[in-house]
Amino acid sequence: MAKRKLVPQPRLSAPAQNLRPDDDLIWEPDPAPEFSSGGAAVDLKFATGVIPAVRLGFGELFAQERRSPIREGWGYTVELPAVLELFERIGDGRVTADDARSVLLKSADLLYDTFRCWESEDPDELRNACREAGGCVLCEQRRSWFDALLDHADDRWKRLQQPEMYPFAAGRQGLHETSCSVVTREMPSNYARPTGDDYLAALNDFSHTVDPHYGECFEGSRSYPRFDVMTTDEARAWIAERTGPKGGRNYKRCQRCAPAV
């Protein structure tokens, strides 16, 4: 699966257009809103006082000239009036530059999850950081989905061990008998649901390599059962769902085992 570029390129501002007196003004600028709506409001707290409800945003400006880790502020924006007030407090000695830097970095870290900043991280760097930390926000978001897929894999494996009850198996290439050598070749020789450190490693691998918008994640892995193992009635229903109104087939039967349903 091709890796898509997650971090947007910096945007260049377009030059202002000055209207000539004879130009028709077909629009008027909207008035400033009565309430703030963009970004998120964070109180910047210092020992000498608070700058309340400072608006921080993320995702619009990624200046390549000052590229750094996202948790160190890259990609964030801060409303200019609050920045000017912060400079004023630094200038009159109420806040030190080190304290200002520390509070802004804490604010960026506080909003990392809120702004879903991990979606703009380099995938490989995020995956390695997750491994070192033993987990990350992305893994927690996808844990329930991963567990549900493991439940499905467990059921597939259990059925595979009972070919007399589940004599048919369907995969990407069509319908087979469960005992078919193609099924045997494509299934793991042994399967056990991962636990402990193995589970964390599998969750990391799943969360950082699988796009949740693109189908069944286990189809390309030999570590998990990849065939739907079915009873005769289930196989007949599977065939019916893939047979057109004029009798056309939207599936294949394995030529090697020639399953007769």
Side-chain angles (χ1 to χ4, degrees):
M1 182 172 62
K3 183 187 297 182
R4 59 189 176 89
K5 192 173 184 62
L6 294 179
V7 179
Q9 293 299 307
R11 302 175 181 179
L12 297 178
S13 59
Q17 295 182 352
N18 296 319
L19 293 175
R20 299 189 302 274
D22 56 341
D23 286 334
D24 291 330
L25 186 63
I26 61 175
W27 60 272
E28 293 182 0
D30 294 329
E34 186 176 354
F35 301 101
S36 298
S37 58
V42 178
D43 292 338
L44 302 187
K45 298 180 180 180
F46 301 96
T48 55
V50 177
I51 304 179
V54 176
R55 288 278 161 177
L56 276 73
F58 178 79
E60 291 296 321
L61 300 174
F62 291 85
Q64 300 299 320
E65 297 84 354
R66 285 165 293 281
R67 182 164 187 158
S68 61
I70 288 176
R71 287 190 181 274
E72 294 180 10
W74 192 52
Y76 283 87
T77 54
V78 185
E79 56 157 310
L80 183 57
V83 173
L84 296 176
E85 183 176 344
L86 186 57
F87 283 159
E88 181 181 336
R89 296 190 183 205
I90 293 173
D92 62 23
R94 285 181 289 166
V95 174
T96 67
D98 285 343
D99 285 344
R101 182 179 185 277
S102 176
V103 168
L104 287 173
L105 287 177
K106 288 179 180 178
S107 299
D109 189 66
L110 176 68
L111 294 173
Y112 184 90
D113 294 347
T114 301
F115 288 148
R116 301 175 63 88
C117 295
W118 67 85
E119 293 180 347
S120 295
E121 296 276 20
D122 177 270
D124 292 332
E125 292 179 4
L126 185 63
R127 181 177 182 177
N128 291 335
C130 171
R131 283 178 173 173
E132 292 177 3
C136 68
V137 174
L138 185 61
C139 286
E140 287 307 311
Q141 278 207 330
R142 298 186 175 180
R143 182 188 294 270
S144 60
W145 179 32
F146 179 62
D147 288 344
L149 289 171
L150 286 180
D151 290 341
H152 191 43
D154 292 347
D155 182 62
R156 283 177 168 179
W157 182 253
K158 182 178 179 180
R159 286 181 169 223
L160 188 65
Q161 311 311 307
Q162 306 173 73
E164 68 285 351
M165 293 181 61
Y166 305 98
F168 300 101
R172 288 174 296 177
Q173 302 301 319
L175 188 66
H176 306 261
E177 292 182 351
T178 302
S179 58
C180 178
S181 61
V182 174
V183 177
T184 304
R185 183 178 67 242
E186 295 294 327
M187 286 285 197
S189 56
N190 288 292
Y191 166 76
R193 188 187 184 104
T195 58
D197 290 341
D198 290 338
Y199 172 82
L200 292 177
L203 176 62
N204 173 280
D205 186 62
F206 167 80
S207 298
H208 294 280
T209 58
V210 175
D211 190 321
H213 303 293
Y214 291 95
E216 170 61 71
C217 72
F218 291 162
E219 285 185 359
S221 173
R222 292 181 182 274
S223 299
Y224 303 95
R226 295 188 287 172
F227 284 78
D228 285 318
V229 186
M230 301 176 289
T231 65
T232 300
D233 288 342
E234 289 171 339
R236 288 170 179 165
W238 185 92
I239 290 174
E241 290 174 358
R242 290 159 179 79
T243 301
K246 296 183 179 180
R249 295 194 313 184
N250 296 321
Y251 68 95
K252 297 179 180 179
R253 291 180 189 265
C254 175
Q255 295 182 353
R256 178 168 299 184
C257 66
V261 182

